[in-house]
Amino acid sequence: MRRSIIKFLIFISPVFLFFGWWEHQLARMPNSYNTKARLIEYAAPDCEVLVLGSSHEYFGINPSFFTQKGFNMANVSQTL
């Protein structure tokens, strides 16, 4: 019994390694969340207004029209 479990684990380990590698590659792909995280780190010292929210704020609020410096962290598919 123990020997068959060890053989099974050796047999299935390439699948686990593949899915681990795949998950690592997906986590490294650029998306709007990590792009905005990098941008806010750059803009944080000057930022006075931070816009958060759903796609309504993402598409409807432009911080360049504010009198203070602002940054829009709203994102599509975020709940209110």
Side-chain angles (χ1 to χ4, degrees):
M1 180 70 174
R2 181 179 173 158
R3 196 168 186 185
S4 62
I5 291 173
I6 291 172
K7 284 184 179 183
F8 175 73
L9 290 176
I10 291 171
F11 177 74
I12 201 78
S13 64
V15 174
F16 286 127
L17 289 173
F18 172 74
F19 281 119
W21 171 80
W22 191 15
E23 181 66 30
H24 176 69
Q25 294 295 3
L26 286 175
R28 292 181 43 206
M29 287 180 68
N31 58 32
S32 63
Y33 295 108
N34 57 21
T35 303
K36 285 190 178 203
R38 272 188 279 118
L39 289 173
I40 193 66
E41 287 175 4
Y42 176 74
D46 305 343
C47 187
E48 296 179 24
V49 178
L50 184 63
V51 178
L52 301 172
S54 65
S55 59
H56 295 284
E57 289 80 17
Y58 179 71
F59 293 114
I61 299 176
N62 190 351
S64 63
F65 293 117
F66 294 164
T67 54
Q68 296 93 1
K69 290 205 177 234
F71 192 80
N72 192 345
M73 285 287 291
N75 211 342
V76 179
S77 299
Q78 295 295 306
T79 61
L80 293 175

